[in-house]
Amino acid sequence: LELFQKALIYLSNDLEYFNEFLKKVTTVRSKIVLDEFLSLFDFDAKDSRPITLSAHDPLRYIGDVLANVHSSIANEADFVKSLFKFQDKQIDDAPVTILLQNKEFLNGLDLKLLNEAVQSLSTSCRIRVEQIVRFEEDPVTNLEIVRLLELYQLMFERKGISLQSSLVSSLEVLEEISKGKITEYFTKVINKVSPTDNKSMNDSMPPEWLSDYINKLVELFEAYDRGNVSDSDEEKPIISGSFLSKVVEEPIQAKLIKMIQNEFPLARKSDETRYLLLTMQINCFDLVKSRFSPFATTIFALDEESSRIFKKIDDKLKEFINRMLELQEKLLFQNTGMGLYYNLFNMIFPVSSIQDELDYDMYLSLMDNPLMKLDTIKSKVHDPLNEYLPQALNDLQGNLLFRLT
């Protein structure tokens, strides 16, 4: 071994022969490394089962492919280091002058040869991983694929593979494809939703597509949270404010709200229809918020945009609830006959602004109003109130609000 290394030191004096020798070494080693890797996919191999048999499980298949690439790199690294990492060794009778003179060619020679030898794996590795990545639709599986690709990029780097190598860059491209397919999945689901997908709206329940859509998002969020330690240092995280804007905010604004409004076109003219509209809106947003609440301090706290989206959902739910309370108050006064008197008293002085007994004196001017006569009050308030009270409990129990079961 020392004789070979000493000869290589002398050969470095003639760069033409030196480079020609290294070229032949990398050519031979590249072929050996590639042949050993491809043999793992050979169905005729008797020593072991081919990797292809696990292709039905995308994560396992990709993991097997990348693990064998890593194993090939590790084995090749041990081989080239044993022969070509010699500049720091004490070699008997080694020409020190030549070592110093040709230091730029000899230092790091083992890593250079390693990178050139394993580049033959780049295309074969990419093709096998890409055939899974291109056709995988499930967002959770794609998330795990992204993490797997990131892991092996790091492992390859630690073995001495350059970040600029085609082996690493091909994994980066596949990683971006998988990331894009996560967003693409949810975009396709929303684009397929049509105005006819509202079968449950007649019962004021959230549409089925919304429940299925939220369930898939929650599944993705749970998977993301399980690995958030490894994702926290990413320059471009898989889930971010811009991602949530595309898969949460835009579908709610562009699809859900418009679909509900189109289902109740007479809401502005009819209190009963408006009541159904608000019930539907509350049920839908209550579903969205309740499913996303466990991620309020994780997914929806990644950045300002993420926090804004969750707050917008919460504010929208509160807005619909307040509108419902106002409508219920209005209907209560109408059904009990007190609406006329409520409006009359507020015209003089807002009832909600009364602070002490002296404020009631402002209503004394109403004593001369014909509406304040006892017979009129009996016919307009007392009788309707007695008729409605027995029914009020049934109305309350039959309220559609928050009927999510």
Side-chain angles (χ1 to χ4, degrees):
L1 179 60
E2 286 191 3
L3 180 62
F4 168 79
Q5 293 174 339
K6 191 183 298 182
L8 195 61
I9 293 173
Y10 281 108
L11 185 61
S12 65
N13 269 333
D14 190 326
L15 287 181
E16 182 178 353
Y17 284 105
F18 182 73
N19 290 331
E20 183 66 24
F21 171 74
L22 295 181
K23 183 178 179 180
K24 289 182 178 180
V25 170
T26 55
T27 300
V28 172
R29 293 307 303 173
S30 293
K31 187 177 185 305
I32 293 174
V33 170
L34 180 59
D35 288 344
E36 289 178 351
F37 177 72
L38 293 178
S39 67
L40 299 170
F41 301 90
D42 187 359
F43 280 97
D44 296 329
K46 298 180 180 179
D47 297 335
S48 60
R49 295 175 60 187
I51 294 178
T52 313
L53 290 180
S54 63
H56 66 280
D57 184 345
L59 286 176
R60 179 183 174 186
Y61 178 72
I62 293 176
D64 287 347
V65 171
L66 295 177
N68 280 281
V69 171
H70 181 264
S71 177
S72 298
I73 292 173
N75 292 336
E76 189 64 16
D78 291 340
F79 174 78
V80 297
K81 285 180 180 177
S82 65
L83 293 177
F84 298 98
K85 188 176 182 179
F86 56 86
Q87 56 269 23
D88 295 329
K89 293 182 179 179
Q90 293 295 330
I91 302 175
D92 295 338
D93 301 326
V96 179
T97 305
I98 299 178
L99 274 173
L100 294 175
Q101 183 179 351
N102 299 334
K103 186 176 182 180
E104 60 177 305
F105 306 115
L106 298 174
N107 283 350
L109 182 61
D110 57 321
L111 292 180
K112 178 184 177 183
L113 293 177
L114 171 64
N115 276 271
E116 291 179 357
V118 300
Q119 288 313 299
S120 59
L121 299 175
S122 176
T123 301
S124 296
C125 174
R126 177 185 58 78
I127 291 174
R128 282 160 177 77
V129 175
E130 187 174 12
Q131 67 183 348
I132 299 297
V133 170
R134 290 286 184 184
F135 296 100
E136 182 57 51
E137 298 292 337
D138 186 77
V140 177
T141 302
N142 274 309
L143 172 65
E144 299 301 337
I145 289 175
V146 168
R147 286 176 170 162
L148 201 57
L149 292 171
E150 288 177 342
L151 172 64
Y152 275 96
Q153 287 177 55
L154 180 62
M155 293 173 67
F156 291 171
E157 182 186 358
R158 288 178 176 174
K159 282 297 180 181
I161 303 302
S162 170
L163 292 178
Q164 285 72 44
S165 68
S166 59
L167 185 59
V168 173
S169 60
S170 64
L171 295 187
E172 290 177 345
V173 171
L174 293 173
E175 178 189 336
E176 290 303 315
I177 293 174
S178 289
K179 285 182 179 180
K181 290 182 74 67
I182 295 175
T183 305
E184 182 182 333
Y185 171 85
F186 292 104
T187 302
K188 284 183 177 179
V189 170
I190 291 300
N191 290 338
K192 288 180 181 179
V193 175
S194 65
T196 57
D197 296 336
N198 55 3
K199 298 177 182 178
S200 61
M201 283 190 176
N202 293 330
D203 196 26
S204 295
M205 296 286 289
E208 292 182 9
W209 70 263
L210 178 63
S211 300
D212 295 339
Y213 185 80
I214 296 300
N215 287 341
K216 202 63 182 179
L217 272 175
V218 168
E219 188 180 345
L220 176 67
F221 292 166
E222 289 174 342
Y224 185 84
D225 271 353
R226 287 195 295 269
N228 62 356
V229 175
S230 61
D231 295 326
S232 58
D233 297 329
E234 286 187 82
E235 292 183 6
K236 296 180 179 180
I238 303 170
I239 294 182
S240 61
S242 59
F243 172 82
L244 294 175
S245 178
K246 292 178 181 178
V247 304
V248 176
E249 184 178 26
E250 290 180 11
I252 289 177
Q253 290 292 127
K255 188 67 67 173
L256 179 61
I257 292 180
K258 289 184 179 180
M259 181 179 286
I260 297 174
Q261 291 174 341
N262 292 336
E263 188 67 16
F264 302 97
L266 301 178
R268 292 186 178 183
K269 299 179 180 180
S270 169
D271 286 340
E272 182 179 353
T273 306
R274 186 180 171 214
Y275 184 87
L276 294 174
L277 169 65
L278 288 170
T279 300
M280 185 67 194
Q281 290 171 328
I282 291 173
N283 283 341
C284 289
F285 275 81
D286 182 69
L287 171 66
V288 174
K289 183 190 173 183
S290 62
R291 295 305 307 277
F292 287 164
S293 289
F295 309 102
T297 57
T298 54
I299 300 294
F300 289 95
L302 294 172
D303 49 40
E304 292 184 3
E305 181 71 3
S306 303
S307 301
R308 181 192 64 79
I309 291 172
F310 185 78
K311 184 178 184 301
K312 188 174 181 179
I313 294 173
D314 185 46
D315 291 344
K316 206 69 177 176
L317 176 59
K318 291 177 180 178
E319 177 188 337
F320 292 141
I321 292 176
N322 289 333
R323 289 183 186 178
M324 175 63 84
L325 292 175
E326 292 174 1
L327 179 59
Q328 287 182 322
E329 183 181 88
K330 175 184 175 182
L331 295 176
L332 178 64
F333 282 130
Q334 287 180 353
N335 292 329
T336 57
M338 293 190 293
L340 177 62
Y341 290 90
Y342 181 75
N343 294 332
L344 185 61
F345 275 69
N346 277 303
M347 285 176 61
I348 297 174
F349 186 75
V351 176
S352 59
S353 299
I354 295 177
Q355 295 183 359
D356 54 52
E357 294 184 3
L358 293 177
D359 291 336
Y360 290 106
D361 293 342
M362 286 182 283
Y363 300 118
L364 293 177
S365 60
L366 289 173
M367 297 301 294
D368 297 330
N369 194 309
L371 291 174
M372 300 305 296
K373 292 182 179 180
L374 291 178
D375 292 339
T376 305
I377 293 176
K378 184 177 184 303
S379 63
K380 291 187 176 294
V381 178
H382 184 268
D383 294 341
L385 185 60
N386 286 333
E387 291 178 8
Y388 179 70
L389 282 179
Q391 183 186 343
L393 181 59
N394 292 331
D395 287 349
L396 181 62
Q397 291 175 339
N399 197 326
L400 297 177
L401 189 60
F402 304 130
R403 213 176 79 186
L404 297 176
T405 57

